[in-house]
Amino acid sequence: MNNIKAVGFDLFNTLITVEPHALSLAMDRLILSLRQSGFPIQEEPFKASYQEMAARFIQRSRQEGKETHNRFWISAALEEAGEVVSPEDLRIAEAVEHYFSVFYDYCRPIPGTEGLLSSLRGRYPLGLLSNFTHGPAAREILGRTGLASYFDTILISGELGFRKPFPLVFDTLSEKLGVAKHGLLYVGDDPDSDIYGASMAGLQPVWSTYAMDNNLPLVWAGSDPPGTEIPRISSWQDLLSLLDHEVKTAIS
Ligand SMILES: [Mg+2]
């Protein structure tokens, strides 16, 4: 690490965590919303096609680097249930809102996150770059957890149209922060989208293993862990020590 001019962060499992049962509650709210909109869907078969379609769209999105959206796989799952509805249908938009409303209640910043951000804020421009399909929900979560105000720029893949590890999103982060990519430290938990992505784009990645070390459910299960050349942190104190060390090395 050297000559750090700005710091960027991933969101999920880096700054905030989601309680494990949130996903199944979100699914329940989605199904309830669709039923209330008049779709007579059966819970188990719908859940199965939803999972299958979501996996298909997400896999394609990962291959192409282009972000997808929940409305596409909800529409595809409804079609499997015999209901042909455009992804742009307002009933689907409503179901998406109901789905994400669960996360507003069950997302929490990792302990000490606000303190960390407020102490870094005077020293570096700060950016947030998250892979999240539904931009408005990501912004709502950032607002409700009180984290939004610490950032000079907030970039959400669902709004950019592209997702990490695609280099374009890291280019945008560097432009928005007004700092060259080699001077940008990027902290994230996902070995592929965060660490490989930031590294390939020319940023300086730091691997946060807080979620892994605390046995929280991981979204990136399956990727190989980064090599030992990548700095690794398990707490915000570790990150502050890394940055202080960097400052001391730069001065001496
Ligand atoms: Mg993450």
Side-chain angles (χ1 to χ4, degrees), residues 150-166:
Y150 294 102
F151 294 100
D152 299 283
T153 190
I154 292 175
L155 301 171
I156 314 293
S157 61
E159 295 171 352
L160 294 169
F162 293 90
R163 57 183 285 131
K164 300 175 284 186
F166 198 65

Side-chain angles (χ1 to χ4, degrees), residues 45-198:
F46 181 80
K47 277 186 185 170
S49 22
Y50 176 95
Q51 306 291 3
E52 188 193 328
M53 294 302 164
R56 200 178 291 178
F57 277 95
I58 291 167
Q59 190 192 10
R60 194 184 310 156
S61 152
R62 286 192 177 147
Q63 281 162 357
E64 296 172 352
K66 286 185 187 158
E67 191 52 284
T68 179
H69 193 267
N70 310 60
R71 65 180 182 272
F72 296 115
W73 58 81
I74 295 170
S75 162
L78 282 171
E79 195 174 333
E80 293 255 296
E83 305 282 342
V84 179
V85 196
S86 155
E88 310 308 322
D89 192 285
L90 285 178
R91 292 167 294 179
I92 292 188
E94 228 172 87
V96 168
E97 295 303 336
H98 279 108
Y99 177 86
F100 283 113
S101 67
V102 169
F103 293 84
Y104 307 155
D105 302 328
Y106 295 105
C107 284
R108 307 266 177 275
I110 285 172
T113 297
E114 287 209 53
L116 169 91
L117 295 174
S118 85
S119 83
L120 292 183
R121 188 156 169 68
R123 293 160 65 185
Y124 306 96
L126 300 181
L128 184 109
L129 169 58
S130 171
N131 275 353
F132 200 97
T133 52
H134 191 53
R139 289 185 185 274
E140 185 72 25
I141 291 166
L142 283 162
R144 289 187 184 223
T145 51
L147 300 184
S149 59
Y150 294 102
F151 294 100
D152 299 283
T153 190
I154 292 175
L155 301 171
I156 314 293
S157 61
E159 295 171 352
L160 294 169
F162 293 90
R163 57 183 285 131
K164 300 175 284 186
F166 198 65
L168 183 105
V169 297
F170 292 102
D171 295 351
T172 309
L173 181 64
S174 128
E175 278 161 28
K176 294 280 183 188
L177 290 174
V179 169
K181 283 187 281 180
H182 57 79
L184 185 44
L185 188 83
Y186 188 75
V187 185
D189 68 294
D190 187 316
D192 182 50
S193 53
D194 298 323
I195 307 308
Y196 168 77

Side-chain angles (χ1 to χ4, degrees), residues 10-16 164 188-190 193-194 219-220:
D10 166 53
L11 180 58
F12 281 94
N13 280 346
T14 296
L15 297 180
I16 63 173
K164 300 175 284 186
D189 68 294
D190 187 316
S193 53
D194 298 323
V219 288
W220 56 268

Side-chain angles (χ1 to χ4, degrees), residues 22 26 28 34 64 77 111 114 192 194 201 203 237 240 250:
D28 293 345
L34 289 172
E64 296 172 352
E114 287 209 53
D192 182 50
D194 298 323
L203 282 68
Q237 191 49 52
L240 290 170

Side-chain angles (χ1 to χ4, degrees), residues 1-2 4 185-189 195 199 203-209 226-234 238-239 241-243 245-246:
M1 272 178 44
N2 55 63
I4 302 303
L185 188 83
Y186 188 75
V187 185
D189 68 294
I195 307 308
S199 170
L203 282 68
Q204 301 190 50
V206 169
W207 187 32
S208 167
T209 59
T228 50
E229 73 283 5
I230 304 294
R232 175 175 168 171
I233 60 165
S234 183
D238 290 349
L239 180 65
S241 305
L242 263 182
L243 287 165
H245 177 75
E246 193 263 333

